[in-house]
């Protein structure tokens, strides 16, 4: 069997939903599971509703809800007919009524929490998959809809919940029926706690659902269908001349995703690793193009791609007491742990340590605690530009080329060597796109 995941732009309207179903139909004999995102922009609209209900703004939140409902109904009516349409409208109305009830209750309570946020965000994928189910049936396909909230079980870390692997595998493998000639449809991104509260896997999390399902069902392959042809040498929105990478290793793809290549969610690769499942990234708008195949290992060394992550904060701590002492690093990292803040990059010298953090919500408290150890500096508005490729350091011209092309850029921090596949540079946020373009021109000339 295979898993095919389609992102928001791939199901943004009736025409694209049909393009999606045509891609699935061609592979119907491979017993496909279709994992689907919300229609493009809908998760953002739901996010806005969640924010407004927290402020008790009933009419504004209901207006967006009504727009979301109308969008789905109009899409369904444009290409589904007869009994299939009647059932589709009924299902959409039932789900929208449930959302309205939640919104009204939360407005009264002026409640915003991560928990209520996830409850509201879960509706986008529920709505898009209802349309796909009835349209697939309308086209004569055998199709069945499964509820991911009953299959993907997570912890209660709402908005970025972590799957409970064994339980999820057991539920999916025992309940999701697949067979040649039929498409099983599931929602990406959404899940629930063991107690049944809706959770989400974090924004962009449908990719992760796809590989979770792929691993549970021991899929022959997972295909991630999006709006670009595969993983490219850089984000094509930044470097116009970016081109598709034919094959890339699990580690390289995971590193790129972690450091900002939005094309796949950072956790996507992890479920595929143990079983060595190939993960394809392909373009719904150009289905004839091969795309990228992500596999356990790819021979050869050298730079594969450049990613970037904006809005990073750099925290530095220096203390002469660090000289020849031990235990400092432990004390420093205990503080980050206390505030549940993940550290991305680290550089140390004899008397100082610099780290980058993505989530700066606790940075003031962290700085206060760190100041008991030494002098603390906090610099916001930084970016990480990350160059990824197997055994980069073995190419003895690589560093010289990188740094000579960055003449004039104030590179604030550099890390290389902690992994053999990643050179990361911390630069001012306003220089990010230019740095990416310059490096891209240097290593991937037009
Ligand atoms: P989907 O809705 O299908 O999940 P996303 O918007 O999440 O799609 O991801 C696709 C986008 O990722 C592309 O449109 C592109 O701008 C961006 N992107 C960032 N880095 C890369 C890269 N290295 N290769 C391809 N796309 C990238
Ligand atoms: N719909 C969710 C989002 O917009 C999940 C996804 O598209 O992967 O983040
Ligand atoms: Mg995505």
């Amino acid at each position: 069997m295979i898993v095919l995941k389609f992102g928001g732009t791939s199901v943004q309207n009736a025409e694209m939903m049909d393009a999606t179903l045509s891609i699935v139909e061609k592979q119907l004999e491979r017993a496909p599971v279709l994992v689907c995102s919300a229609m493009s922009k809908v998760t953002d609209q739901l996010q806005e509703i969640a924010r407004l209900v927290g402020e008790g703004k009933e009419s504004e939140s209901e207006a967006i809800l009504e727009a979301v409902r109308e969008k789905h109904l109009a899409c369904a009516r444009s290409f589904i007919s007869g009994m299939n349409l009647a059932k589709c409208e009924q299902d959409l109305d039932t789900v929208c009524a449930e959302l309205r009830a939640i919104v009204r209750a939360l407005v009264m309570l002026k409640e915003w929490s991560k928990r209520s946020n996830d409850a509201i965000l879960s509706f986008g994928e529920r709505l898009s998959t209802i349309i796909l189910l009835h349209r697939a049936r309308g086209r004569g396909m055998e199709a069945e809809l499964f509820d991911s909230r009953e299959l993907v079980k997570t912890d209660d870390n709402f908005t970025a919940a972590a799957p409970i692997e064994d339980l999820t595998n057991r539920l999916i493998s025992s309940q999701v029926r697949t067979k040649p000639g039929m498409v099983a449809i599931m929602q990406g991104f959404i899940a629930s706690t063991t107690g049944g509260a809706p959770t989400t896997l974090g924004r962009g999390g449908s990719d992760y659902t796809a590989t979770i399902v792929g691993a549970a069902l021991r899929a022959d392959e997972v295909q991630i269908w999006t709006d670009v042809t595969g993983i490219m040498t850089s984000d094509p929105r930044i470097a116009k001349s970016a081109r598709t990478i034919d094959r890339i290793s699990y580690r390289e793809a995971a590193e790129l995703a972690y450091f900002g290549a939005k094309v796949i969610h950072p956790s996507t690769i992890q479920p595929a690793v143990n079983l060595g499942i190939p993960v394809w990234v392909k373009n719904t708008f150009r289905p004839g193009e091969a795309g990228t195949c992500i596999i356990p290992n790819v021979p050869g060394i050298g730079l594969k791609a450049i990613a970037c992550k904006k809005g990073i904060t750099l925290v530095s701590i220096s203390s002469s007491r660090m000289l020849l002492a031990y235990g400092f690093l432990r004390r420093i990292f205990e503080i980050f742990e206390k505030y549940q803040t993940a550290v991305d990059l680290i550089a140390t010298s004899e008397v100082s340590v610099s780290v980058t953090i993505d989530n700066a919500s606790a940075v003031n408290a962290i700085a206060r605690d760190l100041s008991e150890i030494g002098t603390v500096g906090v610099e916001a508005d930084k970016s990480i530009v990350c160059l990824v490729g197997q055994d980069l350091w073995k190419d003895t011209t690589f560093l010289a080329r990188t740094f000579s092309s960055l003449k004039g850029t104030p590179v604030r921090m550099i890390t290389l060597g902690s992994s053999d596949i990643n050179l990361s540079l911390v630069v001012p946020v306003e220089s990010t796109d230019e740095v990416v373009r310059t490096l891209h021109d240097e290593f991937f000339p037009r």
Side-chain angles (χ1 to χ4, degrees):
M1 61 83 50
I2 57 172
V3 178
L4 302 95
K5 176 264 170 177
F6 290 84
T9 45
S10 302
V11 293
Q12 62 186 330
N13 52 32
E15 187 192 342
M16 288 313 296
M17 285 200 187
D18 261 344
T20 287
L21 288 171
S22 295
I23 290 166
V24 175
E25 208 165 23
K26 285 204 180 79
Q27 305 187 67
L28 215 51
E29 289 312 309
R30 300 180 79 186
V33 174
L34 192 176
V35 171
C36 191
S37 291
M39 290 173 83
S40 187
K41 310 264 162 37
V42 168
T43 309
D44 292 338
Q45 288 176 294
L46 294 168
Q47 188 79 67
E48 183 62 6
I49 293 177
R51 192 185 66 77
L52 289 167
V53 297
E55 294 171 8
K57 296 191 172 148
E58 182 165 8
S59 55
E60 284 100 322
S61 45
E62 293 235 359
I64 302 176
L65 193 160
E66 200 43 46
V68 168
R69 180 176 166 272
E70 267 307 314
K71 179 187 176 117
H72 288 85
L73 283 170
C75 172
R77 286 173 187 146
S78 73
F79 71 159
I80 308 178
S81 57
M83 274 309 289
N84 289 310
L85 177 61
K87 281 192 194 133
C88 184
E89 286 179 327
Q90 196 184 7
D91 288 353
L92 291 174
D93 272 334
T94 307
V95 170
C96 286
E98 193 187 319
L99 175 57
R100 189 170 298 109
I102 292 176
V103 165
R104 287 199 177 143
L106 293 173
V107 160
M108 265 189 253
L109 298 171
K110 288 201 169 64
E111 158 95 2
W112 183 88
S113 62
K114 289 185 172 184
R115 188 185 179 106
S116 64
N117 197 79
D118 274 0
I120 292 176
L121 258 58
S122 69
F123 281 85
E125 273 68 10
R126 290 177 65 192
L127 292 168
S128 65
T129 47
I130 288 173
I131 302 181
L132 278 170
L133 171 74
H134 295 289
R135 175 59 181 167
R137 288 183 176 162
R139 286 171 54 141
M141 295 162 79
E142 190 182 340
E144 207 175 323
L145 180 60
F146 293 87
D147 188 337
S148 295
R149 293 169 304 163
E150 286 167 14
L151 299 164
V152 182
K153 289 289 170 182
T154 66
D155 63 14
D156 61 0
N157 186 20
F158 295 98
T159 74
I164 304 165
E165 213 177 298
D166 289 350
L167 178 58
T168 300
N169 280 342
R170 223 173 325 120
L171 288 168
I172 293 174
S173 59
S174 62
Q175 291 183 33
V176 179
R177 212 168 45 87
T178 63
K179 64 170 191 190
M182 185 195 93
V183 56
I185 302 174
M186 289 178 66
Q187 305 86 7
F189 179 55
I190 69 174
S192 76
T193 63
T194 49
T199 55
T200 66
L201 305 179
R203 293 302 303 268
S206 295
D207 305 323
Y208 191 18
T209 307
T211 51
I212 290 171
V213 173
L217 297 176
R218 300 180 168 262
D220 297 326
E221 67 184 42
V222 174
Q223 302 172 6
I224 300 204
W225 290 85
T226 181
D227 57 4
V228 286
T229 304
I231 299 182
M232 307 180 84
T233 46
S234 176
D235 185 340
R237 289 183 208 189
I238 299 177
K240 295 274 173 286
S241 58
R243 44 185 174 268
T244 300
I245 301 164
D246 298 335
R247 293 189 309 163
I248 193 166
S249 70
Y250 283 163
R251 284 185 64 209
E252 289 167 317
E255 200 87 355
L256 282 170
Y258 188 77
F259 286 104
K262 188 187 166 215
V263 62
I264 54 169
H265 182 275
S267 304
T268 310
I269 300 304
Q270 182 250 318
V273 170
N274 282 345
L275 298 169
I277 300 172
V279 180
W280 283 89
V281 182
K282 292 167 85 76
N283 190 343
T284 316
F285 296 79
R286 296 182 181 190
E289 295 182 356
T292 302
C293 190
I294 313 170
I295 47 179
N297 294 297
V298 176
I301 65 163
L303 186 68
K304 281 273 183 12
I306 303 164
C308 61
K309 201 167 167 181
K310 295 177 181 168
I312 296 294
T313 301
L314 186 95
V315 181
S316 319
I317 164 152
S318 55
S319 165
S320 53
R321 282 181 290 151
M322 276 177 76
L323 200 63
L324 301 175
Y326 54 83
F328 264 102
L329 289 178
R330 180 181 51 75
R331 286 178 62 196
I332 289 171
F333 289 114
E334 272 171 1
I335 293 170
F336 286 94
E337 189 184 346
K338 176 176 162 193
Y339 294 102
Q340 298 181 344
T341 297
V343 165
D344 288 332
L345 304 178
I346 308 164
T348 65
S349 75
E350 187 56 47
V351 292
S352 69
V353 179
S354 295
V355 306
T356 64
I357 55 175
D358 189 0
N359 172 6
S361 56
V363 73
N364 291 337
I366 290 171
R368 196 182 52 234
D369 284 15
L370 285 174
S371 64
E372 285 168 22
I373 304 176
T375 310
V376 181
V378 174
E379 297 166 57
D381 299 329
K382 300 284 175 212
S383 288
I384 296 174
V385 173
C386 180
L387 296 92
V388 173
Q390 194 58 46
D391 292 327
L392 284 175
W393 57 274
K394 287 186 183 163
D395 172 356
T396 51
T397 63
F398 171 70
L399 284 180
R401 288 174 70 188
T402 301
F403 292 115
S404 63
S405 54
L406 290 181
K407 229 180 271 165
T409 304
V411 178
R412 181 66 183 78
M413 177 173 157
I414 302 163
T415 69
L416 169 74
S418 54
S419 107
D420 49 0
I421 64 166
N422 168 339
L423 168 68
S424 290
L425 313 167
V426 176
V427 299
V429 74
E430 61 275 12
S431 329
T432 318
D433 290 2
E434 197 46 46
V435 167
V436 170
R437 279 193 283 268
T438 305
L439 289 168
H440 194 269
D441 284 347
E442 169 66 25
F443 289 103
F444 306 101
R446 280 165 240 231

